[in-house]
Amino acid sequence: MSSPSEPQTTVDPPVHTAVIHDLGYRSYTGPRLGEPAVARAFFGTGLRNCYGLGRSGRSKVLPMILLGLMLLPALILVGVLVQAKTLLGLDDQIVPYSTYPLTTQLLISVFVASQAPALVSRDLRFRTITLYLARPMRRTTYVLVRLASLTAATFVLVAAPLLLMYVGGLLAGLPLGRETGRILGALVGAALLAACLSGLAALVSALTIRRGLAVAAVIVVLLVSYTVVATIQGISFDSGHETVGQVAGLFSPYTLVNGVQVILFNAPEATPTPPSGAAQGALYLATTALVVLGSVGAMLARYRKVAA
């Protein structure tokens, strides 16, 4: 036991020298791909997401069911055409290519209404658009890519049954040249319809940023507009005022695009009052361009306001 007079010894704490451990991080020395690569990645991701690919299993249910329901009537028509062509004396498609989208418009409208808010409303509601624009991609490019991915997904939905009917017609022995010309015109119409529907649905989704409300609003805009137009066209045809019905056809994407197909490709008429004459044809074409370009411009203005 030490006496109080003995000096106390203290032990200095150990000295730790700073060491930087190499965890494997290294600077990126590869090429900077820039805006085109980012735009392509966004387009591919948006297209896959419209069908639930890369998302949860629940996200795949609705788009895959709608795609199957779009193909089912076409498959039945092909079966009837191939098996009973001689018996029934058929020498043409049972349902023309140009009118098939109108007979399945409910399915198409539900698809666009369900997928447009998923691509647009979430970005605007939660303001994740600012994160996207932090990447090397301009606002204009972002809007165009979103619209392009939705348009491509809608085009696949509309064009798939048409191609199935085309193949079935060839198997049934329908003339190759005639069917090829008709399917090409129908595919142009499908592309125009997809662009019009996607532009309107995306614009409504951008203005109604709550997803549930956006879905309902898109369905109302697409289906109610067609119902009103079809009613006006039927009344005008019965009363002998077909010009009124022709003008009314400008106010629904389905009748609008069918009118363009009638003018450009002499496609079968899906409405009682299709456009007639060069003036009506030019008006239908101009309105189609106005719908697509106007939707893009309005979306750009909306994104500029939100992302400011």
Side-chain angles (χ1 to χ4, degrees), residues 24-299:
Y25 295 108
R26 63 184 64 183
S27 60
Y28 178 72
T29 58
R32 301 291 178 177
L33 299 180
E35 184 182 45
V38 177
R40 287 193 298 270
F42 265 76
F43 172 78
T45 301
L47 178 58
R48 292 194 302 271
N49 287 349
C50 284
Y51 287 95
L53 304 178
R55 299 170 63 187
S56 64
R58 186 176 61 180
S59 301
K60 298 178 178 65
V61 174
L62 181 60
M64 291 303 177
I65 288 178
L66 292 174
L67 179 59
L69 292 176
M70 285 288 295
L71 292 171
L72 182 59
L75 184 61
I76 295 173
L77 293 173
V78 167
V80 173
L81 182 62
V82 173
Q83 297 297 326
K85 177 177 181 293
T86 304
L87 179 63
L88 300 177
L90 299 174
D91 60 353
D92 207 342
Q93 293 284 352
I94 300 174
V95 176
Y97 300 119
S98 60
T99 62
Y100 190 86
L102 271 80
T103 61
T104 56
Q105 63 173 288
L106 176 61
L107 302 175
I108 300 172
S109 299
V110 171
F111 177 85
V112 177
S114 62
Q115 300 309 317
L119 292 178
V120 176
S121 297
R122 288 176 177 173
D123 291 350
L124 296 177
R125 181 181 180 186
F126 299 107
R127 306 186 73 88
T128 53
I129 177 62
T130 56
L131 299 177
Y132 295 141
L133 298 181
R135 299 165 182 258
M137 184 166 57
R138 292 164 295 176
R139 182 182 294 105
T140 302
T141 305
Y142 177 83
V143 171
L144 292 177
V145 167
R146 281 303 198 207
L147 284 174
S149 59
L150 182 59
T151 300
T154 307
F155 175 76
V156 170
L157 184 78
V158 177
L162 302 182
L163 292 173
L164 179 60
M165 293 169 59
Y166 171 72
V167 174
L170 296 184
L171 293 176
L174 298 183
L176 174 63
R178 186 191 69 184
E179 292 301 303
T180 301
R182 289 180 178 178
I183 190 62
L184 291 177
L187 292 178
V188 172
L192 291 176
L193 179 62
C196 290
L197 294 177
S198 299
L200 292 174
L203 178 58
V204 172
S205 300
L207 297 174
T208 312
I209 60 177
R210 290 189 176 274
R211 186 178 179 184
L213 293 177
V215 171
V218 173
I219 292 178
V220 168
V221 168
L222 297 182
L223 294 183
V224 171
S225 64
Y226 175 78
T227 302
V228 173
V229 168
T231 302
I232 295 175
Q233 288 184 328
I235 295 174
S236 64
F237 179 76
D238 292 337
S239 61
H241 299 85
E242 296 188 7
T243 303
V244 176
Q246 294 174 7
V247 175
L250 299 171
F251 294 93
S252 170
Y254 295 101
T255 55
L256 177 64
V257 172
N258 182 256
V260 171
Q261 289 178 283
V262 171
I263 291 296
L264 293 183
F265 307 109
N266 196 27
E269 304 160 356
T271 63
T273 55
S276 60
Q280 287 283 352
L283 182 59
Y284 269 66
L285 287 170
T287 304
T288 303
L290 180 63
V291 169
V292 176
L293 297 179
S295 299
V296 174
M299 281 195 64

